[in-house]
Amino acid sequence: MRNPARVVFYLLVGLLSTEVLRAHTVDWLENPYSFFPSSPMVFYYPREFSGHFYVDPTYDEPCTVIVNLNAPTSTLINAQVLPPNPANSVDVLVQILRAPSNHLETATITGEWHATGLPTGFGCDAVNPNPFSVPVTVMDQSPYLMFQRPMNGWINLSGPYSALRFSTCLTGPYVSIGIGQTFSVKTMPSGGFFHLSKEMGKFIGGIVMDNSGTPMSNIKIGLLYGGPFAISDFSGTYSLPRMPVGDNLLAITNPIGASLNIEVANTNNTPTNAYTFAMIKAAMAAAALISPTNICNCTPWCSIGFGTVSGNQTPVYYAGGANTPNGGTPECGSPQVTVTPPVGAPFTIRSGTTHHQNSGPNPASGTWTVTAVVCGQTKTATITVP
């Protein structure tokens, strides 16, 4: 086992190497990928009584580890390693035992992890103690999700660091659309409901490929309205940190200005497999950006694709719209986006990136096509459903 590194790490700190190394990291919601170890786990007492952090493998890391905690130094919290331990991914439960003093109190959990050496032949040699510390902050004044007045079709939301979830129905189902403290969200045409969640499930990782099965590099993947994200490497591989339990609306974008949203269902961690494998197949097309003209300053883009998540195929998702020019004022008119399924009549969809448009379950086998027309220019993308 060696020092951890992921594709996202290179983006955050600007490293030039592209090697992905295997190791374990100590992660929690506010510290994805363990890049921000000084960011505390935050609890709002008495609304939140417990939470979890994890000693986790990096992508494709097979080694098992043992986790040991030091004796607590505070009466504020308790921490307990949950079985199984050793395991490939070890779960630590953090419990809040009382109200914080003077409305805010801090504590620190310390311990170590080390490899067992198993399985053999995979470089599981980090058998010496690897110490870690997890800062914890407990407050008894809980912020709520705040709304600012919509402007230009967008609304601003702020609240505690959490996953933001949305549904058109109060009783759900809800889908996670961002992680953080502040969000700028496109107003949903049909209205809906938001709530916050700290319930984190597995990592989401896999490979992005085009319609012919060729890996797609330099594709950005993350939740629609912000939070941790990954960039696929030369092999199309990507790995996101622990994402919320339930449905996650992933936004997939490429450098040429095309975007696609795909919903990926995520589950709780299991020690034998800390990842939800989401293999994504997509076709993304966009016309080159142009200099401003007096006639039309926009160019079309379109995308279509689907995912295979833990062996189950998602619906076909599609999108299209207009990219604005390199400078100047956009004059896009009304982009026309049409989907042609392998059976049945073509139909139009709303243009833009923030929609959740799909075929529904069990899409028809064959060739699906999406076409975007903007200012007399046309772009087309096709995907083949087995």
Side-chain angles (χ1 to χ4, degrees), residues 26 53 55 67-69 92 109-113 130-134:
V26 182
F53 69 86
V55 180
V67 176
N68 295 303
L69 300 179
V92 180
I109 302 166
T110 60
E112 64 86 20
W113 67 265
N130 293 272
F132 63 82
S133 63
V134 178

Side-chain angles (χ1 to χ4, degrees), residues 204-218:
I204 293 178
I207 296 174
V208 187
M209 64 192 76
D210 64 17
N211 195 38
S212 65
T214 301
M216 300 172 67
S217 62
N218 205 24

Side-chain angles (χ1 to χ4, degrees), residues 276-361:
T276 291
F277 292 98
M279 312 299 288
I280 296 169
K281 191 173 183 179
M284 312 177 81
L289 297 182
I290 58 175
S291 298
T293 69
N294 294 326
I295 300 174
C296 182
N297 291 340
C298 301
T299 53
W301 65 266
C302 58
S303 298
I304 190 166
F306 61 90
T308 302
V309 183
S310 300
N312 297 313
Q313 184 178 300
T314 71
V316 174
Y317 289 83
Y318 23 74
N323 282 322
T324 54
N326 289 319
T329 302
E331 297 289 346
C332 300
S334 299
Q336 298 295 312
V337 186
T338 304
V339 175
T340 304
V343 294
F347 55 91
T348 59
I349 61 173
R350 290 173 292 157
S351 65
T353 61
T354 60
H355 309 308
H356 184 192
Q357 302 172 110
N358 64 83
S359 64

Side-chain angles (χ1 to χ4, degrees), residues 39-317:
S39 296
M41 297 182 69
V42 179
F43 296 87
Y44 298 100
Y45 184 91
R47 198 174 79 183
E48 298 169 347
F49 289 101
S50 64
H52 298 259
F53 69 86
Y54 304 89
V55 180
D56 271 329
T58 55
Y59 190 79
D60 200 29
E61 164 63 81
C63 303
T64 60
V65 298
I66 297 174
V67 176
N68 295 303
L69 300 179
N70 297 326
T73 59
S74 170
T75 61
L76 179 66
I77 60 174
N78 179 62
Q80 177 185 357
V81 179
L82 300 180
N85 179 35
N88 181 241
S89 175
V90 179
D91 183 353
V92 180
L93 172 67
V94 180
Q95 297 171 303
I96 310 304
L97 302 179
R98 58 172 174 79
S101 301
N102 298 319
H103 304 296
L104 187 151
E105 190 173 349
T106 62
T108 302
I109 302 166
T110 60
E112 64 86 20
W113 67 265
H114 62 272
T116 64
L118 298 175
T120 59
F122 287 90
C124 302
D125 54 3
V127 294
N128 294 322
N130 293 272
F132 63 82
S133 63
V134 178
V136 177
T137 297
V138 181
M139 292 182 278
D140 64 4
Q141 297 177 334
S142 174
Y144 291 94
L145 184 62
M146 303 295 293
F147 292 80
Q148 289 184 346
R149 182 176 299 177
M151 297 183 63
N152 299 322
W154 293 78
I155 58 174
N156 295 323
L157 302 97
S158 60
Y161 193 95
S162 304
L164 179 67
R165 312 203 77 205
F166 174 80
S167 177
T168 56
C169 178
L170 181 60
T171 57
Y174 282 81
V175 58
S176 296
I177 58 176
I179 296 176
Q181 287 182 288
T182 60
F183 308 90
S184 292
V185 178
K186 187 74 171 179
T187 304
M188 307 299 177
S190 58
F193 303 89
F194 295 96
H195 80 72
L196 300 176
S197 172
K198 287 189 174 182
E199 188 179 5
M200 307 306 288
K202 295 183 180 182
F203 294 92
I204 293 178
I207 296 174
V208 187
M209 64 192 76
D210 64 17
N211 195 38
S212 65
T214 301
M216 300 172 67
S217 62
N218 205 24
I219 302 295
K220 181 180 176 181
I221 302 173
L223 290 176
L224 180 60
Y225 289 109
F229 61 89
I231 304 292
S232 63
D233 65 12
F234 68 94
S235 66
T237 300
Y238 71 95
S239 173
L240 293 166
R242 287 182 175 272
M243 305 302 283
V245 170
D247 292 330
N248 293 263
L249 191 57
L250 299 184
I252 303 166
T253 57
N254 68 1
I256 63 174
S259 182
L260 183 68
N261 302 327
I262 291 182
E263 187 176 297
V264 173
N266 199 20
T267 60
N268 289 316
N269 174 64
T270 57
T272 57
N273 183 4
Y275 276 85
T276 291
F277 292 98
M279 312 299 288
I280 296 169
K281 191 173 183 179
M284 312 177 81
L289 297 182
I290 58 175
S291 298
T293 69
N294 294 326
I295 300 174
C296 182
N297 291 340
C298 301
T299 53
W301 65 266
C302 58
S303 298
I304 190 166
F306 61 90
T308 302
V309 183
S310 300
N312 297 313
Q313 184 178 300
T314 71
V316 174
Y317 289 83

